[in-house]
Amino acid sequence: MNNILDEEFVDNSYFTVEEEVIGEGENAQKQMCFRGILSEANSINGNRRVYPKEVLREVFMEAKAKAEKSGQPVFGELEHAKDAHINLERIAVTFPEFTWDEEKGQILGKAVPTLTEAGKTVAGLAKSGFKICFSTRMTGKTKPMTEERKRQFNITEDCSEVLPGARLISIDIVGNPSCQKAITDTVYEEIEKEEKHNPTFKKVFDNLF
């Protein structure tokens, strides 16, 4: 039986925050979104697990194919559930962009808050200056990484290796994050970019909702 693999991000990793203009003229609307790294292969994550590149690629391809077949985007809940069930009332973001970087072995994405109460909570937290952090929830099996495999991945610490067959359930919003290479700059996009510490930070967010 597969276990639930929650991969919480660490090192204060979080997505960039952007403001996108959707539509033109009087129909134009501003939309909050988050972009960044969802998962990375061949390195130890915050839960001391390693996803070999071929395993993480398989996870991505299966999730992408499932989303395309169903016509529904990959989504995320507000905090991890304790099982593999989908909780509709907890869905907080969708991922209209979901891509694989073969060279770096990374899953990348753009998340947009949903119009649900959970989505409004996420948007409100971001608007208040909180770092929005993401964590994959999967089913899968692991085994202790052997010394031979450690040398292959240039790893010296004890850790577990995620085995082929892992499947993505959701990419959830969590309060205690952990992809060590996630982006940490915050920007807002419309006509020009605004740095995180720019005095217009609060004004830009106040105009979002």
Side-chain angles (χ1 to χ4, degrees), residues 4-209:
I4 299 296
L5 306 178
D6 292 339
E7 310 299 355
E8 296 205 350
F9 301 156
V10 291
D11 294 343
N12 293 324
S13 335
Y14 59 104
F15 272 23
T16 62
V17 181
E18 300 179 1
E19 173 188 293
E20 292 188 339
V21 177
I22 308 300
E24 298 180 355
E26 295 181 356
N27 295 323
Q29 295 182 345
K30 295 177 182 178
Q31 174 181 263
M32 177 186 292
C33 64
F34 311 94
R35 297 179 188 271
I37 301 169
L38 294 168
S39 190
E40 182 176 61
N42 298 351
S43 61
I44 300 178
N45 65 24
N47 292 327
R48 309 201 63 75
R49 299 189 189 108
V50 175
Y51 283 80
K53 188 174 181 179
E54 62 274 14
V55 171
L56 193 59
R57 185 195 300 113
E58 179 188 27
V59 168
F60 167 80
M61 296 298 291
E62 193 273 341
K64 185 78 169 179
K66 182 179 179 180
E68 291 176 350
K69 183 178 180 179
S70 67
Q72 296 182 350
V74 176
F75 64 89
E77 297 183 10
L78 183 58
E79 291 293 351
H80 282 314
K82 300 300 182 183
D83 52 37
H85 295 297
I86 306 305
N87 303 278
L88 295 179
E89 73 279 4
R90 292 163 58 103
I91 292 179
V93 292
T94 59
F95 293 84
E97 294 180 13
F98 186 66
T99 60
W100 170 253
D101 187 320
E102 177 64 24
E103 180 180 356
K104 296 180 179 179
Q106 294 173 339
I107 296 177
L108 310 174
K110 179 181 86 170
V112 175
T114 59
L115 298 179
T116 62
E117 290 303 315
K120 292 176 183 178
T121 296
V122 170
L125 288 171
K127 185 177 179 181
S128 299
F130 282 85
K131 297 173 182 178
I132 300 303
C133 311
F134 293 81
S135 171
T136 57
R137 179 164 53 121
M138 304 191 193
T139 60
K141 296 179 180 179
T142 64
K143 69 176 181 179
M145 182 168 277
T146 64
E147 293 300 321
E148 181 179 352
R149 290 287 277 174
K150 286 181 188 178
R151 287 192 292 271
Q152 182 179 342
F153 289 99
N154 195 27
I155 290 173
T156 58
E157 305 171 56
D158 289 336
C159 59
S160 297
E161 176 179 352
V162 180
L163 302 177
R167 293 292 181 267
L168 181 69
I169 303 169
S170 59
I171 305 166
D172 302 329
I173 307 295
V174 296
N176 181 30
S178 119
C179 181
Q180 298 180 2
K181 299 272 183 79
I183 307 301
T184 56
D185 295 330
T186 302
V187 297
Y188 305 90
E189 290 188 350
E190 186 173 5
I191 297 174
E192 60 182 351
K193 292 185 177 181
E194 302 284 355
E195 296 295 335
K196 177 180 178 182
H197 299 295
N198 190 296
T200 60
F201 170 80
K202 186 175 186 300
K203 181 179 179 181
V204 170
F205 258 139
D206 283 345
N207 290 332
L208 282 175
F209 301 97

